[in-house]
Amino acid sequence: MEIKINDKATQTKAATLQELADELSLPVKGVAMAVGNKMVRREEWASTPLTNGSEVIIIKAVCGG
């Protein structure tokens, strides 16, 4: 299916936010995700479904200044 990640069209086989995190090899810490402009707690990633056209925002923490 096709979803948008940070406003970029992306093909994925992931059915949930957790599967997407695994598919993208996101780190365990320092990452936040939102679906449809709503932040999703990490504990809810596995139960948050993705559908064709879902809009996902991924935010990665960066050290430094």
Side-chain angles (χ1 to χ4, degrees), residues 29-53:
K29 294 185 178 184
V31 174
M33 288 201 278
V35 177
N37 291 323
K38 182 182 176 203
M39 292 301 294
V40 180
R41 294 170 33 131
R42 183 177 292 274
E43 297 82 22
E44 298 170 353
W45 287 4
S47 62
T48 302
L50 296 174
T51 58
N52 196 47

Side-chain angles (χ1 to χ4, degrees), residues 3-64:
I3 64 172
K4 280 191 173 181
I5 300 177
N6 296 349
D7 290 325
K8 181 181 176 186
T10 305
Q11 292 290 326
T12 183
K13 294 181 181 180
T16 66
L17 211 50
Q18 182 61 57
E19 289 177 15
L20 181 64
D22 294 341
E23 187 176 288
L24 298 175
S25 301
L26 295 179
V28 176
K29 294 185 178 184
V31 174
M33 288 201 278
V35 177
N37 291 323
K38 182 182 176 203
M39 292 301 294
V40 180
R41 294 170 33 131
R42 183 177 292 274
E43 297 82 22
E44 298 170 353
W45 287 4
S47 62
T48 302
L50 296 174
T51 58
N52 196 47
S54 289
E55 294 188 18
V56 179
I57 298 171
I58 300 175
I59 302 167
K60 297 179 185 178
V62 178
C63 295

